[in-house]
């Protein structure tokens, strides 16, 4: 009798996968929307695409409360120090999605004032192509990121060895 | 008064300031000397061109013109709906001309923009500092001799890593 | 004994940094405000956080290539930018486009205007705590995106115009799709107004906030709905008609108080007028070609011809090769158009080469935003989002 109860009511898992399951289904994004991609990101949040279906409706504009930085739009040389600062303010664990061509590579703006890809300076986990990406594309990128979060190893979060 | 009348009067009253008057695609363009721009625009404003639609500059390095830089003012008369372009020419050695901020407040930011991108100084401007580029930016990017890809300012930032060990998979 | 609450409240001056990463700055604005308690005594806007060198880039791209860049300028209504740039280039070169092209351009501009105003009103409402209006507006905006997608192939960065015409004609049955959306727009505009107009909180937070006088509007170069909300009866579509706007009958919406509420009302009324213009343009749509032709060496041939005939392919190369085609006259042209934000002008200077010598945009956002520090002075800190929202600052256009 007791045996059966345990079988039907208790799930055994590892701590790692339980934590990852929780993390990946409740990512709190912080949109760093600067340009056109910011508008498309609004479309991702709005009724038709609705990112809430993937557990990411809690948009936080404070870096200290979020764990996913979505860089949407071109980053100028004046903005880059701000972006670096915001990235540093997000507590671990944190992930970065580079949305659109401009954030990933500079896009069409091959000029003196646009950073040619934010990944030169901050680590990026998922790149979403498009100028701007369709909302479906962003959702695809988001699912890819969820897979990534699901595969995290807790052991990786040991502090870095002193250099 | 129509634009044609105003223009002929301007040419009569300020023979030294006006360099030329041309027309292209139905638009009147008044070419003037830089230092006289404030006097001329004060007159034009009193004559009905009450709205400064746009203020910008052109680097005549390869285009040719009276001087290296031309600052162009696009005026609009709300009464008659006529538009007029005034181009003020200033030399490369002393790129400065009087500010028109006292006539139109909109000139404040637009003159700052021209200063930022072309290095043209506006005398009498209350707060002539960079507006688009960071304060430590060197050079004036819209000048023709400034490279489009810049002078490495876009790759001059610290690299941040995640600060935790991440295995490369 | 005195109660703490009865003591005189002394506050020190405080300097507050607002932005550049803040939800109600719509992107990348930064304002440094001096506060006395909650009252703003001085505000200094700092812009340029999205400066991307549009104008420098324009000197390296040819007339048609630059159209793709104009999309990214005012990303709430990219088609208006496309049209404005194409008009300036056509004036410089001296091309007359067909009547059908002009009507389709008007239709697209007005659809963009509806989408722009809907999003603007929605965002203003979100900033003041009313999420429903935003969701209503955005649902409709998606429908309008679909219309753009049918005609241009993309949702946002449309690049629909060419110098001398349009990329392609609107497909068959497009008018039915548009009419369906227009009916919906009418309903949603009514819904939004029912939600907001008589809402006590909405009125308290928008009426008598950020009042602009007529004189200030002219001095600061303010145009568009913001200027019309102060009582200036100036609409470029009526006063200096371009692209056949003289063929359409519509009213210019003006208001008299010049505050945030009036700007909202003007925008809502413009949505209704735009519906009218769209309907008329569909009714009167002339037949004909949308690309004038060729021979001038500006417009690309239709893709069908490029892929299926040798002549088309040769012509395509003629246009795109650096040393062929495109010999504009030496000169300059400034064309003002009425974008949803105000006077959007393109000023093109040409030295006779295939790339323009100088491309300047007259960004309505820059001039409209420059009055901000004057508007916020003396108001509460919480009025800042309302004023910014009502100005509708688009960073891409502001900083270029």
């Amino acid at each position: 009798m007791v045996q059966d109860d345990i079988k039907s009511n208790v799930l055994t898992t590892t701590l790692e996968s339980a934590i990852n399951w929780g993390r990946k289904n409740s990512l709190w994004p912080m949109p760093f929307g600067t340009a056109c991609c910011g508008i498309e990101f609004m479309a991702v949040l709005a009724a038709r695409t609705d990112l809430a279906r993937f557990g990411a409706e809690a948009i936080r504009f404070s870096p200290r409360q979020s764990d996913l930085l979505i860089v949407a739009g071109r980053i100028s040389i004046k903005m880059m120090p701000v972006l670096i600062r915001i990235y540093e303010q997000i507590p671990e664990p944190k992930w970065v999605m580079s949305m659109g061509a401009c954030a990933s590579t500079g896009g069409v703006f091959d000029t003196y004032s646009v950073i040619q890809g934010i990944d030169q300076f901050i680590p990026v986990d998922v790149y979403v192509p498009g100028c701007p990406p369709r909302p479906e594309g962003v959702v695809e990128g988001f699912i890819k990121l969820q897979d990534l979060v699901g595969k995290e190893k807790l052991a990786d979060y040991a502090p870095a060895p002193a250099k | 008064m129509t634009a044609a009348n105003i223009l002929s009067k301007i040419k009569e009253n300020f023979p030294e300031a006006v360099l030329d008057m041309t027309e292209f695609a139905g638009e009147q363009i008044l070419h003037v000397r830089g230092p006289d721009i404030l006097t001329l625009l004060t007159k034009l404003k009193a004559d009905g061109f009450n709205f400064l639609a746009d203020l910008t500059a052109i680097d005549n390095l390869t285009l040719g013109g009276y001087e290296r830089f031309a600052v162009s003012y696009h005026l609009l008369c709300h009464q008659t709906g006529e538009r007029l372009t005034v181009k003020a020419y200033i030399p490369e050695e002393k790129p400065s001309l009087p500010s028109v901020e006292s006539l139109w407040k909109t000139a404040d930011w637009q003159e700052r923009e021209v200063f930022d991108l072309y290095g043209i100084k506006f005398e009498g401007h209350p707060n002539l500092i960079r507006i688009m580029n960071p304060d430590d930016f060197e050079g004036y990017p819209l000048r023709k001799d400034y490279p489009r890809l810049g002078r490495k300012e876009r790759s001059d930032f610290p690299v941040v890593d995640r600060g935790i060990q991440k295995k490369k998979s | 004994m005195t109660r703490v609450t009865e003591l005189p409240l002394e506050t020190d001056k405080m300097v507050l940094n607002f932005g550049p990463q803040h939800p109600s700055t719509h992107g990348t604005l930064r304002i440094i405000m001096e506060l006395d308690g909650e009252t703003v005594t001085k505000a200094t806007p700092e812009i340029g956080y999205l400066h991307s060198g549009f104008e420098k880039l324009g000197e390296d791209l040819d007339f048609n290539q630059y159209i793709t860049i104009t999309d990214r300028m005012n990303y709430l209504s990219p088609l208006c930018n496309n049209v404005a740039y194409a008009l300036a280039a056509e004036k410089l070169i001296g091309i007359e486009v067909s009547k059908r092209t002009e009507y389709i351009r008007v239709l697209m501009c007005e659809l963009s205007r509806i989408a722009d105003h809907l999003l603007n009103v929605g965002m203003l409402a979100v900033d003041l705590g009313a999420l429903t209006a935003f969701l209503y507006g955005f649902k409709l905006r998606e429908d309008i995106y679909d219309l753009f997608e049918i005609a241009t192939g993309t949702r946002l960065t449309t690049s629909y115009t060419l110098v001398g015409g349009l990329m392609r004609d609107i497909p068959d049955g497009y008018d039915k799709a548009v009419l369906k959306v227009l009916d919906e727009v009418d309903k949603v505009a009514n819904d939004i107004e029912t939600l907001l107009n008589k809402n006590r909180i909405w009125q308290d937070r928008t009426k008598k906030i950020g009042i602009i006088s007529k004189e200030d509007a002219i001095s600061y170069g303010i145009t568009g709905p913001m200027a019309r909300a102060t009582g200036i009866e100036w609409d470029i579509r009526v006063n200096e008609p371009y692209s056949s706007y003289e063929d359409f009958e519509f009213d210019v919406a003006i208001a008299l108080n010049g505050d945030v509420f009036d700007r909202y009302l003007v925008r809502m009324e413009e949505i209704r007028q735009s519906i009218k213009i769209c309907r008329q343009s569909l009714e009167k749509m002339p037949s004909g070609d949308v690309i004038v032709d060729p021979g001038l060496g500006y417009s690309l041939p239709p893709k069908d011809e490029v892929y299926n005939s040798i002549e088309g392919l040769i012509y395509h190369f003629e246009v795109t090769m650096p040393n062929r085609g495109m010999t504009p006259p030496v000169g300059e042209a400034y064309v003002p158009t009425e974008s949803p934000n105000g006077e959007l002008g393109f000023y093109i200077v040409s030295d006779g080469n295939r790339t323009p010598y100088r491309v300047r945009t007259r960004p309505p956002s820059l001039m409209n935003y420059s009055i901000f520090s004057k508007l916020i002075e003396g108001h509460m800190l919480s009025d800042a989002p309302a004023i910014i929202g009502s100005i509708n600052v688009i960073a891409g256009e502001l900083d270029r």
Side-chain angles (χ1 to χ4, degrees):
Chain A
M1 194 63 199
V2 177
Q3 279 284 319
D4 284 351
D5 267 6
I6 289 175
K7 259 187 193 164
S8 59
N9 290 328
V10 175
L11 185 75
T12 56
T13 178
T14 59
L15 182 61
E16 195 168 80
S17 47
I19 287 176
N20 283 343
W21 174 80
R23 276 180 181 165
K24 81 176 193 185
N25 290 310
S26 64
L27 283 168
W28 285 20
M30 165 167 165
F32 194 86
T34 57
C36 340
C37 289
I39 306 293
E40 279 300 76
F41 190 70
M42 269 186 221
V44 177
L45 297 174
R48 193 181 284 186
T49 316
D50 196 7
L51 201 60
R53 294 178 295 159
F54 304 91
E57 75 273 34
I59 301 296
R60 284 291 177 276
F61 286 94
S62 162
R64 299 192 193 283
Q65 299 170 354
S66 50
D67 44 17
L68 166 62
L69 177 66
I70 297 182
V71 183
R74 47 190 184 270
I75 302 295
S76 71
I77 49 174
K78 202 169 176 178
M79 198 60 164
M80 195 62 206
V82 181
L83 178 65
I84 289 178
R85 188 146 183 199
I86 286 196
Y87 178 78
E88 283 176 337
Q89 282 176 345
I90 300 179
E92 289 286 353
K94 57 186 168 188
W95 296 273
V96 179
M97 179 196 275
S98 161
M99 176 180 168
C102 296
S104 308
T105 67
V108 289
F109 295 98
D110 195 5
T111 60
Y112 57 92
S113 67
V114 179
I115 302 292
Q116 302 295 300
I118 55 165
D119 56 353
Q120 296 172 51
F121 307 111
I122 61 171
V124 174
D125 295 291
V126 172
Y127 301 85
V128 182
C131 188
R134 296 181 60 87
E136 296 89 326
V138 180
V139 170
E140 167 82 21
F142 191 80
I143 294 171
K144 286 265 188 309
L145 188 84
Q146 283 186 326
D147 289 349
L148 215 69
V149 176
K151 286 180 196 147
E152 292 270 322
K153 296 266 181 295
L154 287 183
D156 289 344
Y157 284 88
K163 279 172 193 162
Chain B
M1 247 192 306
T2 59
N5 286 343
I6 294 171
L7 283 179
S8 60
K9 250 178 81 182
I10 289 274
K11 207 176 175 186
E12 237 168 66
N13 294 346
F14 303 93
E16 277 176 14
V18 177
L19 296 167
D20 196 6
M21 265 159 58
T22 55
E23 198 184 323
F24 183 83
E27 261 181 63
Q28 297 282 342
I29 305 164
L30 187 66
H31 304 264
V32 304
R33 291 193 318 159
D36 302 317
I37 189 70
L38 185 59
T39 345
L40 277 171
L41 288 186
T42 314
K43 182 82 180 63
L44 283 169
K45 191 183 175 190
D47 283 346
F49 284 99
N50 60 336
F51 191 80
L52 176 65
D54 191 21
L55 188 164
T56 186
I58 300 157
D59 181 358
N60 289 326
L61 187 64
T62 56
L63 184 70
Y66 296 97
E67 299 281 1
R68 165 85 189 263
F69 296 110
V71 178
S72 63
Y73 302 78
H74 295 272
L75 305 177
L76 165 68
C77 173
H78 273 139
Q79 204 99 47
T80 59
E82 281 172 309
R83 284 181 189 264
L84 173 70
T85 308
V86 182
K87 286 174 94 171
Y89 291 87
I90 43 174
E92 186 178 359
E93 307 82 53
K94 190 177 167 286
S96 76
L97 76 173
S99 163
V100 297
E101 198 263 349
S102 52
L103 297 178
W104 291 284
K105 286 271 186 280
T106 175
D108 182 352
W109 281 21
Q110 301 194 51
E111 284 177 351
R112 272 176 72 189
E113 191 186 334
V114 170
F115 167 73
D116 185 359
L117 302 175
Y118 282 96
I120 295 171
K121 292 186 184 64
F122 292 87
E123 291 149 25
H125 189 284
N127 185 26
L128 199 63
I129 51 171
R130 283 190 185 273
I131 188 167
M132 294 296 173
N133 289 304
D135 285 335
D136 55 359
F137 195 89
E138 277 170 29
Y140 302 104
L142 274 190
R143 286 192 179 183
K144 283 282 173 184
D145 48 13
Y146 197 90
R148 172 167 62 90
L149 302 185
R151 296 181 174 145
K152 297 225 164 91
E153 50 287 81
R154 64 184 190 182
S155 50
D156 188 20
F157 290 98
V159 178
V160 185
D161 56 8
R162 280 195 68 171
I164 53 161
Q165 265 180 312
K166 276 279 237 176
K167 261 178 260 165
K168 296 254 159 61
S169 51
Chain C
M1 278 288 280
T2 45
R3 283 188 166 274
V4 185
T5 46
E6 283 163 9
L7 289 173
L9 201 61
E10 278 183 22
T11 51
D12 278 337
K13 279 257 158 80
M14 190 172 107
V15 178
L16 181 81
N17 175 46
F18 186 79
Q21 173 55 39
H22 184 277
S24 72
T25 60
H26 298 211
T28 56
L29 310 175
R30 182 180 177 195
I31 306 155
I32 291 138
M33 289 196 256
E34 280 173 28
L35 302 178
D36 180 13
E38 272 203 69
T39 313
V40 181
T41 52
K42 186 168 179 252
T44 320
E46 172 78 33
I47 65 170
Y49 285 94
L50 197 58
H51 179 62
S52 356
F54 277 85
E55 289 172 9
K56 191 80 179 172
L57 202 55
E59 294 168 9
D60 267 20
L61 299 176
D62 74 34
F63 284 92
N64 276 323
Q65 285 172 326
Y66 193 65
I67 287 172
T68 55
I69 308 293
T70 60
D71 290 335
R72 285 134 182 104
M73 209 168 278
N74 179 347
Y75 30 75
L76 292 192
S77 49
L79 273 157
C80 291
N81 300 1
N82 293 164
V83 171
Y85 176 76
L87 285 170
E90 281 155 10
K91 181 171 176 190
L92 176 81
I93 298 162
I95 302 179
E96 290 258 327
V97 298
S98 67
K99 207 74 177 163
R100 185 175 173 85
T101 306
E102 292 193 329
Y103 273 58
I104 295 177
R105 282 180 181 179
V106 167
L107 173 67
M108 290 300 172
C109 277
E110 294 309 316
L111 284 174
S112 302
R113 194 182 311 276
I114 294 171
D116 188 309
H117 285 343
L118 277 175
L119 187 63
N120 172 247
V121 169
M123 285 313 290
L124 175 62
V126 169
D127 290 345
L128 301 184
L131 194 67
T132 322
F134 167 74
L135 290 174
Y136 281 4
F138 215 97
K139 184 181 162 289
L140 204 62
R141 204 178 143 86
E142 287 279 351
D143 293 342
I144 298 175
Y145 274 150
D146 285 349
L147 290 180
F148 290 161
E149 202 173 348
I150 296 169
T152 72
T154 49
R155 289 157 54 88
L156 198 65
T157 43
T158 46
S159 305
Y160 189 45
T161 59
L162 289 176
V163 177
L166 297 169
M167 193 175 70
R168 64 168 80 120
D169 206 339
I170 48 174
D172 294 338
Y174 194 65
D175 48 344
K176 279 193 199 105
V178 174
L179 285 175
K180 209 174 140 199
V181 174
L182 288 181
D183 289 341
E184 204 61 27
V185 174
D186 217 11
K187 267 187 236 156
V188 169
N190 286 339
D191 282 351
I192 292 178
E193 288 210 310
T194 318
L195 277 175
L196 296 179
N197 276 9
K198 290 193 177 158
N199 185 321
R200 175 73 193 275
I201 302 171
W202 179 258
Q203 289 204 352
D204 281 355
R205 294 208 58 185
T206 56
K207 277 197 173 167
K208 297 212 170 80
I209 304 289
I211 299 173
I212 307 176
S213 70
K214 231 177 182 173
E215 293 72 40
D216 274 352
I218 289 177
S219 175
Y220 278 89
I222 288 167
T223 47
M226 266 180 88
R228 286 192 285 278
T230 67
I232 298 175
E233 226 183 315
W234 186 264
D235 188 322
I236 297 172
R237 292 175 293 171
V238 175
N239 297 78
E240 304 166 78
Y242 56 92
S243 194
S244 295
Y245 264 111
E246 65 274 13
D247 296 358
F248 300 96
E249 267 180 43
F250 61 99
D251 300 322
V252 177
I254 62 166
L256 296 173
N257 298 326
D259 56 5
V260 175
F261 188 70
D262 276 17
R263 275 167 239 155
Y264 152 75
L265 285 184
V266 167
R267 288 210 167 88
M268 291 311 288
E269 185 53 36
E270 281 191 7
I271 292 179
R272 301 224 162 76
Q273 298 302 328
S274 293
I275 299 174
K276 248 164 92 178
I277 302 175
C278 287
R279 290 220 167 99
Q280 289 174 36
S281 82
L282 287 174
E283 263 168 40
K284 299 193 213 164
M285 184 68 72
S287 56
D289 221 350
V290 293
I291 300 178
V292 248
D293 167 334
L296 285 166
Y298 292 95
S299 346
L300 292 171
K303 281 280 180 266
D304 275 354
E305 279 179 32
V306 178
Y307 294 141
N308 297 322
S309 76
I310 186 75
E311 292 81 13
L313 191 65
I314 290 172
Y315 187 68
H316 179 89
F317 279 127
E318 287 278 331
V319 174
T320 49
M321 265 156 61
N323 51 353
R324 305 282 177 85
M326 296 202 203
T327 43
V330 181
E332 55 181 65
Y334 176 80
V335 175
T337 61
E338 185 72 34
S339 86
N341 270 349
E343 177 176 333
L344 172 71
F346 276 93
Y347 177 49
I348 306 180
V349 181
S350 162
D351 60 348
N353 284 328
R354 60 182 283 119
T355 57
Y357 188 77
R358 168 99 170 93
V359 190
R360 152 82 179 172
T361 318
R362 189 254 185 221
S365 290
L366 181 77
M367 287 67 171
N368 291 356
Y369 187 44
S370 66
I371 200 173
F372 175 78
S373 57
K374 185 169 179 169
L375 293 187
I376 189 70
E377 257 167 51
H379 281 305
M380 306 280 272
L381 179 59
S382 58
D383 295 331
I387 295 177
I388 295 177
S390 73
I391 295 177
N392 194 16
V393 192
I394 310 298
E397 182 184 81
L398 177 78
D399 299 339
R400 280 155 295 126

